[in-house]
Amino acid sequence: QVQLVESGGGLVKPGGSLRLSCAASGFTFSDYYMSWIRQAPGKGLEWVSYISSSGNIIYYADSVKGRFTISRDNARNSLYLQMNSLRAEDTAVYYCAREVGATGRIDPWGQGTLVTVSS
Amino acid sequence: QSALTQPASVSGSPGQSITISCTGTSSDVGGYNAVSWYQQHPGKAPKLMIYDVSYRPSGVSNRFSGSKSGNTASLTISGLQAEDEADYYCSSYTSSSTHVVFGGGTKLTVL
């Protein structure tokens, strides 16, 4: 079945860096757009970044632009999020998600990985 | 402040129907038939319930339905069941560089 498994979360100090990974299985990864979406503790969902199937189209939320970099390796069925200059407000569960089409239909979602930015 | 506006909470008794609204603008909800609804139980990942305004993914109960009028989309759950108690989020494709915008979420309580 379709599965997305995130890894790489943890505790990091403000200004630090972290790289999240997402391993995909059960579908042809290279056919799909992929997104990262986050949820701060007790808060709602916030779309973070999106990458097209070939990687040539990338979007970022204004809140992370210039600090985060999304990438993918279709040969390894993997999605990545490099997060630099982390701030306390980046603390959240980060979900990897498959986008069906290019109009925001997100299905499925991974189980999420928690990123905590604190000194 | 979320881009799409949802009520913070709604409630209903088992067997009843409830509707959750999601209001945006002509740049998102009103401009595209690309509204989705997600159900999230505590500690779990969101699950797609409705896409493209009114389509249900395979396996989702037909008690869930979606609609749209102008800049407002709606999710209706009929025949409420205890397991429907969860947070519900709407989202929409947007013409801005943000690509996808979410609502702030609605907590559904089954009384």
Side-chain angles (χ1 to χ4, degrees):
Chain A
Q1 75 280 21
V2 176
Q3 195 170 12
L4 300 169
V5 179
E6 303 93 335
S7 60
L11 175 63
V12 61
K13 289 182 168 52
S17 298
L18 213 53
R19 188 194 196 207
L20 306 183
S21 299
C22 171
S25 60
F27 65 102
T28 305
F29 180 72
S30 58
D31 284 349
Y32 289 88
Y33 293 37
M34 299 294 295
S35 288
W36 288 99
I37 298 155
R38 68 184 180 184
Q39 185 170 35
K43 301 297 185 182
L45 301 169
E46 180 188 15
W47 172 82
V48 173
S49 184
Y50 151 106
I51 185 167
S52 63
S53 53
S54 64
N56 64 324
I57 301 172
I58 288 175
Y59 292 131
Y60 297 101
D62 288 343
S63 57
V64 307
K65 202 172 294 184
R67 300 188 299 122
F68 289 12
T69 302
I70 191 172
S71 62
R72 63 190 297 161
D73 185 337
N74 286 342
R76 295 177 182 270
N77 292 336
S78 293
L79 177 72
Y80 306 101
L81 186 67
Q82 177 67 43
M83 304 185 295
N84 298 331
S85 303
L86 283 162
R87 307 166 180 167
E89 54 265 34
D90 295 317
T91 294
V93 173
Y94 284 73
Y95 293 102
C96 163
R98 184 181 71 170
E99 188 159 332
V100 182
T103 54
R105 173 182 166 188
I106 300 167
D107 181 48
W109 302 54
Q111 86 288 352
T113 187
L114 177 62
V115 172
T116 303
V117 183
S118 174
S119 54
Chain B
Q1 186 174 357
S2 301
L4 305 180
T5 301
Q6 298 180 234
S9 63
V10 298
S11 62
S13 299
Q16 287 186 331
S17 295
I18 63 95
T19 297
I20 300 172
S21 62
C22 170
T23 301
T25 69
S26 58
S27 296
D28 39 65
V29 174
Y32 307 91
N33 288 325
V35 176
S36 297
W37 290 90
Y38 302 90
Q39 176 191 65
Q40 187 180 35
H41 287 109
K44 300 295 187 182
K47 173 187 175 184
L48 178 68
M49 304 301 285
I50 295 287
Y51 67 94
D52 292 353
V53 176
S54 61
Y55 291 86
R56 276 188 311 275
S58 174
V60 171
S61 171
N62 59 9
R63 298 185 299 105
F64 291 82
S65 62
S67 62
K68 189 185 84 168
S69 177
N71 294 337
T72 298
S74 298
L75 172 71
T76 298
I77 308 174
S78 59
L80 269 180
Q81 299 179 2
E83 59 261 36
D84 298 332
E85 185 163 293
D87 293 326
Y88 290 85
Y89 293 89
C90 64
S91 75
S92 176
Y93 174 79
T94 172
S95 57
S96 77
S97 61
T98 310
H99 179 62
V100 170
V101 289
F102 286 98
T106 298
K107 181 175 180 58
L108 169 62
T109 301
V110 180
L111 302 170

